Amino acid sequence: MEPNLLIVTVAATITALATGLGVLPFLVRRPGLRALSDANAAAAGVMLAAAVALAIEGVNSGVVRTVAGVALGAALILVVRARLPEPSALRFEGLRGDGAEKAVLIVAVMTAHSAAEGIAVGVSFGEGATFGAALTIAIAIHNIPEGLAIGLVLIPRGVGVGRAALWSIFSSLPQPILALPAFLFVEAFSQFLPIGLGLAAGAMAWMVVAERAPEALRNASVVRVATVGGLSFAAMTIFQALLIA
């Protein structure tokens, strides 16, 4: 079946909705401190694997543009942090202070990050239905730990699971929004794809180093965090290799 606007729209919408699945573990029970550390370590490992895959895909299309994208992602995070009000004046979903700052920052970073993934979905379908479907599945799987990362910031601080799921999905809305023009104007968007992939990879790596890893280490040993994170990284890397092969 030849890709068309309906197929691309449905595919990109699925990737966005998949982000909301990341909060489902919180419906079973509210995790204890050890479980939260394990969840943060697992999310860090999967997100780091996704960042590496995005960077490699970007380099395959253009090394310089990918590096520029990584630099742009770092600059974007610095700008967002600089533009945020003082923590004492910040409010988000009933959160205040440092908790509100962490929540706003992760939602903002994930939203910017997902723009590149939306372009990738549209461009991939421009290359054929099979490649587009494979990349859609890969991005949907990537999005689940991204939703988990948002849930790990919001839910332990008192935000409801439903609201956390909505914010997770909100962070991926650029995917269906940008997938359509990327599909319609493949050649034009293909030039920007390495920049977007670099930005997404840089933002994801920053989130791992600055947020998820420190949160994991708060209530678990370095050995435990490294083990859980390493196994998650390996599992995600193998999955990606099998999917794209």
Side-chain angles (χ1 to χ4, degrees):
M1 179 183 296
E2 284 295 317
N4 55 45
L5 290 178
L6 178 59
I7 291 175
V8 174
T9 300
V10 171
T13 301
I14 289 173
T15 64
L17 293 176
T19 316
L21 298 177
V23 305
L24 288 183
F26 293 98
L27 290 175
V28 179
R29 64 172 183 170
R30 293 301 174 99
L33 295 179
R34 176 66 63 85
L36 280 175
S37 289
D38 287 345
N40 274 297
V46 174
M47 291 168 71
L48 189 58
V52 170
L54 290 168
I56 291 174
E57 186 65 29
V59 167
N60 289 337
S61 301
V63 176
V64 174
R65 284 174 291 168
T66 302
V67 173
V70 172
L72 182 61
L76 177 65
I77 292 170
L78 293 175
V79 169
V80 170
R81 297 191 74 175
R83 297 290 295 177
L84 287 177
E86 289 295 321
S88 59
L90 195 59
R91 302 289 185 272
F92 182 85
E93 285 289 337
L95 304 179
R96 299 182 178 185
D98 291 339
E101 184 180 42
K102 286 180 178 292
V104 170
L105 192 58
I106 190 171
V107 171
V109 168
M110 289 303 184
T111 302
H113 155 90
S114 69
E117 294 181 337
I119 295 173
V121 170
V123 170
S124 68
F125 275 103
E127 298 182 15
T130 301
F131 183 64
L135 192 65
T136 295
I137 295 171
I139 290 176
I141 297 298
H142 288 174
N143 283 353
I144 294 174
E146 292 173 21
L148 174 62
I150 292 175
L152 286 168
V153 172
L154 297 179
I155 295 172
R157 292 177 169 85
V159 177
V161 174
R163 296 293 296 177
L166 289 176
W167 278 113
S168 298
I169 294 170
F170 171 85
S171 73
S172 289
L173 287 182
Q175 291 169 19
I177 291 172
L178 290 174
L180 288 181
F183 173 69
L184 291 172
F185 307 101
V186 171
E187 291 188 10
F189 275 87
S190 295
Q191 302 301 312
F192 295 99
L193 184 57
I195 297 175
L197 291 172
L199 187 154
M204 187 82 82
W206 180 90
M207 189 60 62
V208 169
V209 174
E211 295 292 339
R212 300 282 58 80
E215 286 292 327
L217 289 167
R218 182 171 296 181
N219 296 292
S221 67
V222 173
V223 172
R224 185 179 182 90
V225 170
T227 301
V228 174
L231 290 173
S232 300
F233 179 90
M236 189 61 175
T237 300
I238 293 170
F239 171 81
Q240 292 173 144
L242 293 174
L243 186 63
I244 302 300

